[in-house]
Amino acid sequence: MTINYSERIPNNVNLADDRRLQRALEAWQPGFLQWWSEMGPETFQGCDVYLRTATSTDAEGWATFGYVKMPDYRWGIFLADPQSDRKIGFGEHKGEPVWREVPGEHRGVLRRLIVTQGDTEPASVEQQRHLGRTCPSLYDLRNLFQVNVEEGRHLWAMVYLLHAYFGRDGREEADALLQRRSGNADNPRILGAFNEKTPDWLSYFMFAHFTDRDGKYQLASLAESGFDPLARTCRFMLTEEAHHLFVGESGVGRVVSRTCQLMKEHHTDIVSKYGGIDLSIIQKYINFHYSVSLDLFGSELSTNAANYYSAGLKGRFKETDRDDDHQLTQTSYALMKPQNGIIVKVDQPALNALNETLRDSYIADCDRALARWNKIIREAQVDFDLKLPHRGFRRSIGEFAGVNVTPEGQIIPDAEWQQRKSDWLPTQADREFVASLMKPVTAPGQFASWIAPPTRGINHQPLDFDYVTALP
Ligand code: BYC
């Protein structure tokens, strides 16, 4: 479906046919732009950035590239095409036609899901707003801004649903999305990871890899929803999300690659004095960001998740491809949990363990990406393996909250945890060291000392292309 760019709010939902909705969204738009100018990337709002913009939502050529000043980016409302005769694929309503309107009995929970999803989008822009000042290259700066404008668009995606389907409550929630602030003590963002700082580019790449990947799994589950407008919105968001994951995975991979290069060049494991980041520090950052992101899936046992599923609102990852009854009322799941000082597996109703099922899909994906980083290390003939810590490591939500679990999955007493945690998590000194490397590099084709150049440029452009121009 082609996107109409002639309107104030670009869209492919025939917004002009619904004057009330159009007016409501046009009334929300200035607040969004105000939020963007206050909380979006600082310092660079006047630059010309080589950005992609959606032109249509089908697989071929949905994007067009060109220079845009970020405040002029055409944020809008883009839903994937409807599938004819789509049926609800799971839960108590399995096999019934999907809903085009919100079913009254599920209004509250559906709104809560949409608000929680929507809240993460502006939060991540807020978390990343200072990063531009210390970019390792113009290529990376452009990628950061691309991710930021698209997170802004993902906020529009959820705000559209709130305005179009939830009346006055929805409009109030849409306003509140512009009022909460990441890390603010009085009015924080909803989920834990979105109130953490993203102080440096290594943290940013880790965030884009691990935390955005939670986004992929949550959006994929919502893309299965029986509420069709939500499913279609999430389907298109997933295509944008893929680039964010690329930025994260390739970013960490390039840091690893540069470290290995310095290790070989100087015959040492300690590359910090040559302007690189030691693999041991990279490992600590992995431990931190992975564990924060695991918390985003919620408690292992959740009646909320069971209710979302039974009601047909939120499915599993690749629900449609799974070969089971899609109702799970008779199925059990072997849940890992701490018990009497060890980690055991206990059978639980599968319906209650759906957050854990989604976490399993996520962990398998993180494992595959980790293997790709380890391949870079092996190819450089360096003897080191990056690892994902145990799923119980440093958790704040669910069965493992408050339990001291080592990266290998051993439960240890508090005193030992206090003694050893600096081996596993970034220390103040590690963070200060990484921060000390964060000096801006803005000459076209140049890259900071701690990161390798990418293998290719954006949209077939060369690496020394002017990805961001008119710098302040
Ligand atoms: N921090 O039964 P429980 C993304 C709350 S990322 C704070 O355990 P439930 C993106 C929970 O809200 C994807 N609170 O969990 C990435 C509940 O509170 P209420 C975001 C937490 O409800 C990067 C209570 O604890 N999308 O897109 O089954 C850049 C008990 O809940 C946390 C979604 O999350 C936490 N970590 O599942 C940009 C999808 N975990 O309701 C974007 C929508 C739980 O009792 N959200 N709580 O007040 C959901 O599906 C669910 O809300 C959750 C939690 C999976 C988050």
Side-chain angles (χ1 to χ4, degrees):
M1 270 156 80
T2 308
I3 292 168
N4 183 349
Y5 272 97
S6 64
E7 294 180 32
R8 238 165 87 186
I9 301 172
N11 69 88
N12 68 353
V13 293
N14 295 331
L15 197 54
D17 292 350
D18 186 340
R19 304 303 291 199
R20 252 179 85 178
L21 177 60
Q22 187 179 34
R23 272 200 302 275
L25 284 164
E26 284 178 0
W28 185 82
Q29 192 175 31
F32 169 82
L33 292 172
Q34 177 66 25
W35 166 82
W36 179 268
S37 82
E38 277 169 28
M39 298 312 296
E42 60 167 22
T43 318
F44 295 92
Q45 301 282 349
C47 297
D48 295 315
V49 187
Y50 187 67
L51 292 177
R52 67 173 185 183
T53 306
T55 46
S56 91
T57 54
D58 43 37
E60 301 87 46
W62 71 268
T64 171
F65 285 82
Y67 284 106
V68 180
K69 291 191 197 327
M70 284 183 277
D72 300 335
Y73 187 77
R74 300 303 314 276
W75 286 284
I77 299 157
F78 315 130
L79 271 61
D81 293 351
Q83 293 165 354
S84 60
D85 294 334
R86 186 173 165 246
K87 302 276 191 295
I88 299 172
F90 56 95
E92 288 161 5
H93 301 283
K94 190 183 131 196
E96 295 173 21
V98 289
W99 303 300
R100 312 269 175 217
E101 295 295 330
V102 178
E105 69 273 32
H106 302 315
R107 202 182 155 81
V109 275
L110 199 47
R111 191 184 61 215
R112 177 90 186 133
L113 277 174
I114 293 170
V115 166
T116 308
Q117 177 62 50
D119 191 68
T120 62
E121 316 292 0
S124 67
V125 175
E126 291 164 6
Q127 289 171 296
Q128 295 161 18
R129 74 181 295 253
H130 303 296
L131 287 173
R133 277 188 293 172
T134 55
C135 65
S137 72
L138 283 185
Y139 165 91
D140 291 292
L141 187 63
R142 176 262 166 218
N143 281 350
L144 169 72
F145 294 157
Q146 182 71 58
V147 170
N148 290 161
V149 293
E150 286 177 354
E151 300 299 10
R153 205 206 68 70
H154 288 183
L155 171 60
W156 270 95
M158 293 300 124
V159 163
Y160 163 71
L161 294 176
L162 290 169
H163 272 255
Y165 297 97
F166 293 89
R168 180 202 287 220
D169 304 353
R171 291 194 293 278
E172 285 172 5
E173 292 283 13
D175 290 344
L177 284 168
L178 295 177
Q179 281 150 16
R180 284 187 286 274
R181 290 286 182 270
S182 173
N184 185 300
D186 300 325
N187 199 9
R189 292 295 173 183
I190 296 171
L191 297 174
F194 294 90
N195 290 301
E196 298 280 348
K197 286 196 163 59
T198 311
D200 57 67
W201 279 77
L202 182 58
S203 303
Y204 168 64
F205 290 133
M206 293 284 174
F207 180 97
H209 182 77
F210 287 113
T211 308
D212 269 284
R213 195 170 303 273
D214 169 52
K216 168 181 163 185
Y217 282 84
Q218 299 294 348
L219 288 173
S221 316
L222 296 173
E224 302 283 348
S225 183
F227 177 49
D228 203 43
L230 174 61
R232 288 173 54 206
T233 298
C234 291
R235 277 210 334 264
F236 183 62
M237 288 165 78
L238 279 165
T239 64
E240 292 169 314
E241 202 65 38
H243 175 67
H244 307 184
L245 295 175
F246 161 80
V247 169
E249 182 181 332
S250 64
V252 176
R254 287 162 54 211
V255 181
V256 168
S257 169
R258 176 66 179 150
T259 299
C260 291
Q261 190 193 0
L262 289 170
M263 283 169 81
K264 295 205 70 186
E265 227 169 88
H266 299 283
H267 308 286
T268 175
D269 292 351
I270 315 295
V271 295
S272 29
K273 62 175 176 237
Y274 305 107
I277 303 178
D278 294 344
L279 289 176
S280 59
I281 296 186
I282 297 175
Q283 178 65 64
K284 290 184 189 179
Y285 272 65
I286 290 176
N287 293 349
F288 177 83
H289 286 272
Y290 178 64
S291 54
V292 170
S293 304
L294 286 182
D295 272 342
L296 288 172
F297 290 83
S299 306
E300 287 80 354
L301 292 175
S302 165
T303 45
N304 285 351
N307 293 338
Y308 298 152
Y309 188 82
S310 300
L313 302 177
K314 182 181 175 190
R316 289 168 293 172
F317 184 65
K318 300 212 163 150
E319 180 70 48
T320 335
D321 300 349
R322 290 177 188 243
D323 192 15
D324 58 26
D325 70 355
H326 302 278
Q327 287 182 318
L328 305 179
T329 46
Q330 308 300 322
T331 321
S332 64
Y333 176 93
L335 183 82
M336 216 185 276
K337 59 184 280 196
Q339 206 172 63
N340 303 327
I342 53 167
I343 295 171
V344 295
K345 279 194 169 176
V346 181
D347 272 352
Q348 294 290 336
L351 256 186
N352 290 353
L354 282 168
N355 285 343
E356 195 64 359
T357 308
L358 192 59
R359 195 163 12 234
D360 285 340
S361 305
Y362 170 85
I363 290 175
D365 201 10
C366 290
D367 263 327
R368 286 189 291 272
L370 189 91
R372 291 190 287 272
W373 293 334
N374 279 328
K375 186 160 175 267
I376 297 174
I377 301 178
R378 259 200 327 278
E379 282 175 359
Q381 291 166 332
V382 166
D383 185 20
F384 191 98
D385 260 334
L386 293 168
K387 296 193 174 74
L388 292 178
H390 188 273
R391 72 175 74 201
F393 175 76
R394 200 186 153 271
R395 293 285 303 282
S396 306
I397 300 274
E399 301 285 335
F400 290 99
V403 181
N404 298 312
V405 179
T406 66
E408 291 74 34
Q410 217 195 337
I411 299 179
I412 54 172
D414 201 43
E416 188 180 346
W417 171 267
Q418 293 305 336
Q419 209 177 24
R420 297 179 68 189
K421 70 175 183 195
S422 60
D423 294 342
W424 301 323
L425 291 165
T427 60
Q428 184 65 17
D430 294 331
R431 290 196 181 278
E432 280 169 14
F433 169 70
V434 172
S436 76
L437 294 177
M438 299 295 129
K439 304 268 180 347
V441 176
T442 52
Q446 299 291 305
F447 291 83
S449 64
W450 51 271
I451 188 165
T455 42
R456 65 184 71 87
I458 293 294
N459 191 33
H460 310 293
Q461 298 292 359
L463 291 188
D464 62 359
F465 184 71
D466 256 336
Y467 288 105
V468 184
T469 68
L471 291 169

